[in-house]
Amino acid sequence: MKKIKLTSVLIFALLLTANLFAQSSGKIVGTVVDSETGETLIGVNVVIDGTIKGTATDIDGRYTIRNVEPGTYTVVVSYLSFSTQRITGVVVGDGETVSLDVALQPESELLDEIVVTAEVVQNNEAGLLSIQRKSIPVQDGISFEEISKGSDGNVGSAMKKVAGVSVVGGKDIYVRGLGNRYSNVQLNGSAIPSTNPNKKEAPVDILSSGIVENIIVQKTFTPDQSGEFSGGSVQIVTKEFPNDKNIGVSYSTSVNSHYSMQNYLGYNGGSRDFLGYDDGYRNLPSELTDSEISGNQEKVSIANNLNNTWSSKQIQSLPSQKISVNYADILNQDKMPIGVVSNLSYKYETSSRFDENMRYINQYNESTNVAFLGSDYTRNTGTEHASLSAMLNLFVKPNGNTKLGIKNLYSNSLNNSFSEIAGTYYNFDGVNRQTVAEFDRRAVYSSTLNGETYFENFFASKLEVALTYSKAVRDLPDRRTTQYGANDSGDFEVIFPFRGNTHFFSYQDDNNYTAKLDYTLDPTEGITVKTGGVGMIKDRSFSSYKLVYQDLGSNFPQEQKTASPEEIFTADNLSSGKLDLIETSSSRDSYEGYQELFGGYASLNWSPNANWNIEGGVRAEYSAQFIDDESLIAELDYLPALNATYRPSAKVNLRSAFSITLARPEFRELSNFNFQDFVGGRTVYGNPDLERTRIYNYDLRFEVFPNAGELIAVSAFYKKFENPIEVFYRITQNNEVKYDNVASSNLYGLELEGRKDLSSNLRVNTNFSYILSNVSYDDDQAAGRLANTERSMFGQSPYTFNINAFYAIPQIDSDLTVSFNTFGKRISAVGNKEQPDDEYEQPFNKLDISLSKKIRNTSVNVSIENLLGDDIHYKQGDVTTNRYEIGTTFSVGISFNFN
């Protein structure tokens, strides 16, 4: 109730002060670019015809003409060696900011001046497509405008709309059918560290979509990008300079057809769980970090300091709540502009999975087509989600040729869950029941110091410097598990032999330090040279501790085994000799990872005429990876890249590209650490003998841009992988997988993309990717070990399909958005010889609808997600190995903006 009152007071106060931001005069703002190259132009004169009001574009190609009285004007844009452009009919309303982006054409004898009618450019999607049309590499993207029209609350869900991109589990990014291993995700030009201890996983699901200016997915390699590039480079850019002062407040709530307003499984937690932080309730006893456990007295002391909450309780699920506040402004505009962009958001929700199927096949009879299950469980899970994110970007322009700034982002996300798992396990007679209480906190912090300056009189060159520190944290404090089994009378009693009654603690801390420099110059007309370097140091500290309760010499009384965990796992039972508490952690359960990477590149971009653009270059990267001070991989690689574009007309591009890139193993994959979710669950093993993967990339693309904001594109690509890393089931009766290299693999793909205005009110964006791949094994890998010796690559979908329709309803000042995306089944684990097939994640068909309406400075949004009610489904042969429902989500939101 206090939270609701606080929100109401805040909104009421902002409504009362809205008139403070009213202004009688307006502005004309925009960006000026070269129509042939798409590059922003610095120092362009922009004036209002017949007045002395005017300005020049700055280092970003941006301009602002302030204090413009309401009226209709002609704006004149002029620049040396370019045709002057006169834009008539520019209407400025009372206190209005008019956005007017201009593309200047190079001067010719036939073209001295161009006169056009003003069209206020409110479609950032058209601007993004203009960048795409003139870019050197093949790329796709999504703008803030398109993100804001949908129901996407985070970057992960928004990215599903990009051609050739699919997102699994909200955070696993697949570009051209290839998973996180073969893609790099950057935030403001620097890699986002992974918060997943088991794999490379950029936490895009915890980044609010409200902080994003645009997302660009670069699909062909250029030497200025990281060498770890194959599927693509996902470049998330946050906002820098706003056009106006703006204060915004938004609130949204949602319910889910599957679990809202029902009880969910929870437990007694800490006082700050709802914020996404532990208050010390789950702290690791200090005795465990100081030395090994010695003596029963120390075990009793540890037990007294451990959390003794093991059982679940039913908690009423309420609608989700999300509130966001943002502030943006340009200060000191007339002297040295200072741009401020900030955002603070908080979200809280609960969810449930009911009757989730979890099965593992440990034997298969091919002649009878019968699969024997090593484990067959049903899991019920309740989860409390809390996320808090904050962004603060500060930029200053000391003069028109220099820009300095700092971008800061912090995001914290919690999944606090309780699971009850019941079923059979091959090594136990009868039904066993397990519980898991898990507090899984992930956090990312990133701070980038940017400097950019333009040397107009020295080959029109530009110097860009970025220093970045980023940190990722993954904490799993006091993960508690219990295991009970049904006795002859049908009662459940505690089981000790399988070590299923545990406290588990793990802490992961990643730090990335990056320094990057890029220098671009135009030594002569038609030639641009770009060179630069990067240095990166990445370190990871991972530690884990596991405590197991055991029956000390079978002394635990039989009649007490049906008691609750709170009554069994006590310090009294330890001191009386009924139980023992042992630490099963070993040196393999903790590790220190360290990577150093140094790279340099040089490239030359040559435009012999208006029809051709060719860029060639090479990147050299030295990388060394260490686990616990042991050097496992140290390689110097030379990575060439060639991108060529032929433009038979201003609206048509024909592109081709070739490059060699890399995929390096992650720290976790190189370590000996292994972890099991629960007894009978999957155990993942590392492999210190892994090698890095080399990828040979070939691309062709045909693009047509019929009109502003429209695109028709066809792409074909081929990739050859040397030593790709795959996930294999181990040859064992247990549910165990490991990482290993295979000899090679090939991937072939075709992409179709279209963006079209079907009418003045209806716009449709669609894309389809069809991808085939195959894997080649060494003889000793394939012989008698695998379910299939011929298969596609791990995690690769044979197809992805997205379609988004945007319909404007001017009669009620509303926008309707309909989105659909799906993908073909893809391998989630490689089967062994004892299994009928590889395990596949089945297609998921997601249909979303969103309706937004504007009422002056207020916007209301109503949305429905997963309207078809599809569920998550994994199969191995004819056996469902994992399946659960996610339901349909109904959301409503309201936002207020004060300029």
Side-chain angles (χ1 to χ4, degrees), residues 200-224:
K200 181 180 179 181
E201 179 183 275
V204 293
D205 60 322
I206 68 176
L207 301 179
S208 170
S209 59
I211 67 173
V212 174
E213 180 71 26
N214 57 58
I215 304 171
I216 294 176
V217 180
Q218 184 175 323
K219 296 180 179 178
T220 60
F221 176 65
T222 51
D224 60 339

PDB file of all heavy atoms in Angstrom, residues 200-224:
ATOM      1  N   LYS A 200      28.688 -18.592 -22.324  1.00  0.00           N
ATOM      2  CA  LYS A 200      28.712 -17.205 -22.750  1.00  0.00           C
ATOM      3  C   LYS A 200      27.272 -16.742 -22.917  1.00  0.00           C
ATOM      4  O   LYS A 200      26.541 -17.230 -23.773  1.00  0.00           O
ATOM      5  CB  LYS A 200      29.465 -17.096 -24.072  1.00  0.00           C
ATOM      6  CG  LYS A 200      29.583 -15.695 -24.631  1.00  0.00           C
ATOM      7  CD  LYS A 200      30.355 -15.732 -25.942  1.00  0.00           C
ATOM      8  CE  LYS A 200      30.480 -14.351 -26.557  1.00  0.00           C
ATOM      9  NZ  LYS A 200      31.216 -14.402 -27.841  1.00  0.00           N
ATOM     10  N   GLU A 201      26.866 -15.794 -22.087  1.00  0.00           N
ATOM     11  CA  GLU A 201      25.467 -15.380 -22.103  1.00  0.00           C
ATOM     12  C   GLU A 201      25.377 -13.920 -21.693  1.00  0.00           C
ATOM     13  O   GLU A 201      25.582 -13.574 -20.535  1.00  0.00           O
ATOM     14  CB  GLU A 201      24.655 -16.256 -21.151  1.00  0.00           C
ATOM     15  CG  GLU A 201      23.187 -15.905 -21.065  1.00  0.00           C
ATOM     16  CD  GLU A 201      22.476 -16.777 -20.042  1.00  0.00           C
ATOM     17  OE1 GLU A 201      22.069 -17.886 -20.421  1.00  0.00           O
ATOM     18  OE2 GLU A 201      22.367 -16.356 -18.885  1.00  0.00           O
ATOM     19  N   ALA A 202      25.119 -13.052 -22.648  1.00  0.00           N
ATOM     20  CA  ALA A 202      24.944 -11.636 -22.339  1.00  0.00           C
ATOM     21  C   ALA A 202      23.557 -11.439 -21.735  1.00  0.00           C
ATOM     22  O   ALA A 202      22.556 -11.863 -22.327  1.00  0.00           O
ATOM     23  CB  ALA A 202      25.089 -10.794 -23.596  1.00  0.00           C
ATOM     24  N   PRO A 203      23.452 -10.817 -20.571  1.00  0.00           N
ATOM     25  CA  PRO A 203      22.162 -10.723 -19.881  1.00  0.00           C
ATOM     26  C   PRO A 203      21.253  -9.639 -20.453  1.00  0.00           C
ATOM     27  O   PRO A 203      20.880  -8.683 -19.775  1.00  0.00           O
ATOM     28  CB  PRO A 203      22.582 -10.400 -18.449  1.00  0.00           C
ATOM     29  CG  PRO A 203      23.853  -9.637 -18.605  1.00  0.00           C
ATOM     30  CD  PRO A 203      24.551 -10.216 -19.801  1.00  0.00           C
ATOM     31  N   VAL A 204      20.872  -9.775 -21.728  1.00  0.00           N
ATOM     32  CA  VAL A 204      20.047  -8.750 -22.364  1.00  0.00           C
ATOM     33  C   VAL A 204      18.641  -8.706 -21.783  1.00  0.00           C
ATOM     34  O   VAL A 204      17.915  -7.727 -21.969  1.00  0.00           O
ATOM     35  CB  VAL A 204      19.981  -8.980 -23.894  1.00  0.00           C
ATOM     36  CG1 VAL A 204      21.334  -8.745 -24.526  1.00  0.00           C
ATOM     37  CG2 VAL A 204      19.480 -10.393 -24.224  1.00  0.00           C
ATOM     38  N   ASP A 205      18.243  -9.774 -21.070  1.00  0.00           N
ATOM     39  CA  ASP A 205      16.908  -9.786 -20.489  1.00  0.00           C
ATOM     40  C   ASP A 205      16.787  -8.858 -19.288  1.00  0.00           C
ATOM     41  O   ASP A 205      15.674  -8.549 -18.854  1.00  0.00           O
ATOM     42  CB  ASP A 205      16.509 -11.210 -20.084  1.00  0.00           C
ATOM     43  CG  ASP A 205      17.460 -11.804 -19.059  1.00  0.00           C
ATOM     44  OD1 ASP A 205      18.673 -11.561 -19.168  1.00  0.00           O
ATOM     45  OD2 ASP A 205      16.984 -12.516 -18.155  1.00  0.00           O
ATOM     46  N   ILE A 206      17.922  -8.412 -18.720  1.00  0.00           N
ATOM     47  CA  ILE A 206      17.833  -7.519 -17.574  1.00  0.00           C
ATOM     48  C   ILE A 206      18.095  -6.068 -17.960  1.00  0.00           C
ATOM     49  O   ILE A 206      18.161  -5.195 -17.102  1.00  0.00           O
ATOM     50  CB  ILE A 206      18.772  -7.964 -16.431  1.00  0.00           C
ATOM     51  CG1 ILE A 206      20.243  -7.798 -16.814  1.00  0.00           C
ATOM     52  CG2 ILE A 206      18.489  -9.388 -16.013  1.00  0.00           C
ATOM     53  CD1 ILE A 206      21.201  -8.131 -15.682  1.00  0.00           C
ATOM     54  N   LEU A 207      18.254  -5.806 -19.283  1.00  0.00           N
ATOM     55  CA  LEU A 207      18.435  -4.434 -19.758  1.00  0.00           C
ATOM     56  C   LEU A 207      17.088  -3.894 -20.225  1.00  0.00           C
ATOM     57  O   LEU A 207      16.474  -4.432 -21.146  1.00  0.00           O
ATOM     58  CB  LEU A 207      19.441  -4.394 -20.908  1.00  0.00           C
ATOM     59  CG  LEU A 207      20.851  -4.916 -20.614  1.00  0.00           C
ATOM     60  CD1 LEU A 207      21.718  -4.821 -21.864  1.00  0.00           C
ATOM     61  CD2 LEU A 207      21.478  -4.168 -19.461  1.00  0.00           C
ATOM     62  N   SER A 208      16.627  -2.841 -19.607  1.00  0.00           N
ATOM     63  CA  SER A 208      15.337  -2.257 -19.969  1.00  0.00           C
ATOM     64  C   SER A 208      15.387  -1.661 -21.373  1.00  0.00           C
ATOM     65  O   SER A 208      16.364  -0.995 -21.747  1.00  0.00           O
ATOM     66  CB  SER A 208      14.955  -1.172 -18.959  1.00  0.00           C
ATOM     67  OG  SER A 208      13.837  -0.432 -19.402  1.00  0.00           O
ATOM     68  N   SER A 209      14.342  -1.908 -22.159  1.00  0.00           N
ATOM     69  CA  SER A 209      14.300  -1.370 -23.522  1.00  0.00           C
ATOM     70  C   SER A 209      14.203   0.148 -23.533  1.00  0.00           C
ATOM     71  O   SER A 209      14.514   0.788 -24.536  1.00  0.00           O
ATOM     72  CB  SER A 209      13.116  -1.982 -24.285  1.00  0.00           C
ATOM     73  OG  SER A 209      11.894  -1.703 -23.625  1.00  0.00           O
ATOM     74  N   GLY A 210      13.804   0.763 -22.418  1.00  0.00           N
ATOM     75  CA  GLY A 210      13.661   2.204 -22.371  1.00  0.00           C
ATOM     76  C   GLY A 210      14.965   2.964 -22.424  1.00  0.00           C
ATOM     77  O   GLY A 210      14.974   4.176 -22.647  1.00  0.00           O
ATOM     78  N   ILE A 211      16.105   2.284 -22.219  1.00  0.00           N
ATOM     79  CA  ILE A 211      17.390   2.978 -22.211  1.00  0.00           C
ATOM     80  C   ILE A 211      18.054   2.982 -23.585  1.00  0.00           C
ATOM     81  O   ILE A 211      19.099   3.592 -23.771  1.00  0.00           O
ATOM     82  CB  ILE A 211      18.352   2.317 -21.207  1.00  0.00           C
ATOM     83  CG1 ILE A 211      18.738   0.907 -21.684  1.00  0.00           C
ATOM     84  CG2 ILE A 211      17.755   2.282 -19.815  1.00  0.00           C
ATOM     85  CD1 ILE A 211      19.811   0.250 -20.847  1.00  0.00           C
ATOM     86  N   VAL A 212      17.444   2.316 -24.572  1.00  0.00           N
ATOM     87  CA  VAL A 212      18.115   2.034 -25.836  1.00  0.00           C
ATOM     88  C   VAL A 212      17.783   3.080 -26.891  1.00  0.00           C
ATOM     89  O   VAL A 212      16.628   3.465 -27.079  1.00  0.00           O
ATOM     90  CB  VAL A 212      17.709   0.634 -26.344  1.00  0.00           C
ATOM     91  CG1 VAL A 212      18.276   0.378 -27.728  1.00  0.00           C
ATOM     92  CG2 VAL A 212      18.189  -0.427 -25.368  1.00  0.00           C
ATOM     93  N   GLU A 213      18.823   3.544 -27.592  1.00  0.00           N
ATOM     94  CA  GLU A 213      18.639   4.407 -28.765  1.00  0.00           C
ATOM     95  C   GLU A 213      18.349   3.554 -29.992  1.00  0.00           C
ATOM     96  O   GLU A 213      17.432   3.819 -30.748  1.00  0.00           O
ATOM     97  CB  GLU A 213      19.901   5.242 -28.983  1.00  0.00           C
ATOM     98  CG  GLU A 213      19.826   6.180 -30.186  1.00  0.00           C
ATOM     99  CD  GLU A 213      18.878   7.334 -29.966  1.00  0.00           C
ATOM    100  OE1 GLU A 213      18.653   7.717 -28.803  1.00  0.00           O
ATOM    101  OE2 GLU A 213      18.336   7.858 -30.950  1.00  0.00           O
ATOM    102  N   ASN A 214      19.154   2.531 -30.195  1.00  0.00           N
ATOM    103  CA  ASN A 214      18.896   1.559 -31.257  1.00  0.00           C
ATOM    104  C   ASN A 214      19.737   0.308 -31.012  1.00  0.00           C
ATOM    105  O   ASN A 214      20.664   0.317 -30.187  1.00  0.00           O
ATOM    106  CB  ASN A 214      19.158   2.137 -32.663  1.00  0.00           C
ATOM    107  CG  ASN A 214      20.574   2.651 -32.822  1.00  0.00           C
ATOM    108  OD1 ASN A 214      21.538   1.924 -32.643  1.00  0.00           O
ATOM    109  ND2 ASN A 214      20.703   3.928 -33.165  1.00  0.00           N
ATOM    110  N   ILE A 215      19.389  -0.751 -31.721  1.00  0.00           N
ATOM    111  CA  ILE A 215      20.150  -2.003 -31.681  1.00  0.00           C
ATOM    112  C   ILE A 215      20.500  -2.351 -33.116  1.00  0.00           C
ATOM    113  O   ILE A 215      19.617  -2.473 -33.973  1.00  0.00           O
ATOM    114  CB  ILE A 215      19.338  -3.143 -31.057  1.00  0.00           C
ATOM    115  CG1 ILE A 215      18.852  -2.765 -29.655  1.00  0.00           C
ATOM    116  CG2 ILE A 215      20.164  -4.428 -31.001  1.00  0.00           C
ATOM    117  CD1 ILE A 215      17.857  -3.752 -29.075  1.00  0.00           C
ATOM    118  N   ILE A 216      21.782  -2.490 -33.404  1.00  0.00           N
ATOM    119  CA  ILE A 216      22.243  -2.852 -34.746  1.00  0.00           C
ATOM    120  C   ILE A 216      22.913  -4.217 -34.676  1.00  0.00           C
ATOM    121  O   ILE A 216      23.731  -4.474 -33.793  1.00  0.00           O
ATOM    122  CB  ILE A 216      23.225  -1.796 -35.295  1.00  0.00           C
ATOM    123  CG1 ILE A 216      22.499  -0.467 -35.509  1.00  0.00           C
ATOM    124  CG2 ILE A 216      23.868  -2.270 -36.592  1.00  0.00           C
ATOM    125  CD1 ILE A 216      23.402   0.677 -35.950  1.00  0.00           C
ATOM    126  N   VAL A 217      22.530  -5.103 -35.588  1.00  0.00           N
ATOM    127  CA  VAL A 217      23.132  -6.427 -35.686  1.00  0.00           C
ATOM    128  C   VAL A 217      23.980  -6.456 -36.957  1.00  0.00           C
ATOM    129  O   VAL A 217      23.450  -6.476 -38.071  1.00  0.00           O
ATOM    130  CB  VAL A 217      22.063  -7.533 -35.714  1.00  0.00           C
ATOM    131  CG1 VAL A 217      22.737  -8.907 -35.818  1.00  0.00           C
ATOM    132  CG2 VAL A 217      21.196  -7.463 -34.467  1.00  0.00           C
ATOM    133  N   GLN A 218      25.298  -6.409 -36.777  1.00  0.00           N
ATOM    134  CA  GLN A 218      26.231  -6.448 -37.903  1.00  0.00           C
ATOM    135  C   GLN A 218      26.509  -7.908 -38.243  1.00  0.00           C
ATOM    136  O   GLN A 218      26.933  -8.683 -37.397  1.00  0.00           O
ATOM    137  CB  GLN A 218      27.532  -5.724 -37.538  1.00  0.00           C
ATOM    138  CG  GLN A 218      28.525  -5.647 -38.690  1.00  0.00           C
ATOM    139  CD  GLN A 218      29.752  -4.833 -38.343  1.00  0.00           C
ATOM    140  OE1 GLN A 218      29.660  -3.830 -37.645  1.00  0.00           O
ATOM    141  NE2 GLN A 218      30.906  -5.273 -38.814  1.00  0.00           N
ATOM    142  N   LYS A 219      26.294  -8.269 -39.503  1.00  0.00           N
ATOM    143  CA  LYS A 219      26.348  -9.679 -39.897  1.00  0.00           C
ATOM    144  C   LYS A 219      27.586 -10.055 -40.702  1.00  0.00           C
ATOM    145  O   LYS A 219      27.824 -11.243 -40.918  1.00  0.00           O
ATOM    146  CB  LYS A 219      25.080 -10.052 -40.670  1.00  0.00           C
ATOM    147  CG  LYS A 219      23.816  -9.933 -39.825  1.00  0.00           C
ATOM    148  CD  LYS A 219      22.572 -10.304 -40.595  1.00  0.00           C
ATOM    149  CE  LYS A 219      21.343 -10.204 -39.719  1.00  0.00           C
ATOM    150  NZ  LYS A 219      20.100 -10.513 -40.461  1.00  0.00           N
ATOM    151  N   THR A 220      28.322  -9.077 -41.185  1.00  0.00           N
ATOM    152  CA  THR A 220      29.600  -9.383 -41.824  1.00  0.00           C
ATOM    153  C   THR A 220      30.699  -8.654 -41.068  1.00  0.00           C
ATOM    154  O   THR A 220      30.521  -7.529 -40.594  1.00  0.00           O
ATOM    155  CB  THR A 220      29.620  -8.995 -43.312  1.00  0.00           C
ATOM    156  OG1 THR A 220      29.392  -7.588 -43.451  1.00  0.00           O
ATOM    157  CG2 THR A 220      28.562  -9.763 -44.083  1.00  0.00           C
ATOM    158  N   PHE A 221      31.832  -9.294 -40.974  1.00  0.00           N
ATOM    159  CA  PHE A 221      32.935  -8.817 -40.150  1.00  0.00           C
ATOM    160  C   PHE A 221      33.680  -7.671 -40.817  1.00  0.00           C
ATOM    161  O   PHE A 221      33.914  -7.682 -42.033  1.00  0.00           O
ATOM    162  CB  PHE A 221      33.887  -9.993 -39.908  1.00  0.00           C
ATOM    163  CG  PHE A 221      35.125  -9.650 -39.141  1.00  0.00           C
ATOM    164  CD1 PHE A 221      35.054  -9.238 -37.822  1.00  0.00           C
ATOM    165  CD2 PHE A 221      36.375  -9.761 -39.734  1.00  0.00           C
ATOM    166  CE1 PHE A 221      36.209  -8.930 -37.103  1.00  0.00           C
ATOM    167  CE2 PHE A 221      37.534  -9.472 -39.033  1.00  0.00           C
ATOM    168  CZ  PHE A 221      37.447  -9.051 -37.708  1.00  0.00           C
ATOM    169  N   THR A 222      34.041  -6.682 -40.018  1.00  0.00           N
ATOM    170  CA  THR A 222      34.965  -5.629 -40.437  1.00  0.00           C
ATOM    171  C   THR A 222      36.104  -5.583 -39.426  1.00  0.00           C
ATOM    172  O   THR A 222      35.918  -5.945 -38.254  1.00  0.00           O
ATOM    173  CB  THR A 222      34.263  -4.258 -40.502  1.00  0.00           C
ATOM    174  OG1 THR A 222      33.574  -4.014 -39.259  1.00  0.00           O
ATOM    175  CG2 THR A 222      33.267  -4.202 -41.650  1.00  0.00           C
ATOM    176  N   PRO A 223      37.309  -5.161 -39.851  1.00  0.00           N
ATOM    177  CA  PRO A 223      38.479  -5.259 -38.965  1.00  0.00           C
ATOM    178  C   PRO A 223      38.375  -4.464 -37.670  1.00  0.00           C
ATOM    179  O   PRO A 223      39.119  -4.739 -36.730  1.00  0.00           O
ATOM    180  CB  PRO A 223      39.620  -4.744 -39.845  1.00  0.00           C
ATOM    181  CG  PRO A 223      39.182  -5.014 -41.241  1.00  0.00           C
ATOM    182  CD  PRO A 223      37.702  -4.777 -41.226  1.00  0.00           C
ATOM    183  N   ASP A 224      37.477  -3.472 -37.599  1.00  0.00           N
ATOM    184  CA  ASP A 224      37.360  -2.705 -36.365  1.00  0.00           C
ATOM    185  C   ASP A 224      36.534  -3.416 -35.297  1.00  0.00           C
ATOM    186  O   ASP A 224      36.417  -2.926 -34.175  1.00  0.00           O
ATOM    187  CB  ASP A 224      36.763  -1.321 -36.647  1.00  0.00           C
ATOM    188  CG  ASP A 224      35.384  -1.403 -37.273  1.00  0.00           C
ATOM    189  OD1 ASP A 224      35.041  -2.446 -37.852  1.00  0.00           O
ATOM    190  OD2 ASP A 224      34.637  -0.410 -37.181  1.00  0.00           O
TER     191      ASP A 224
END
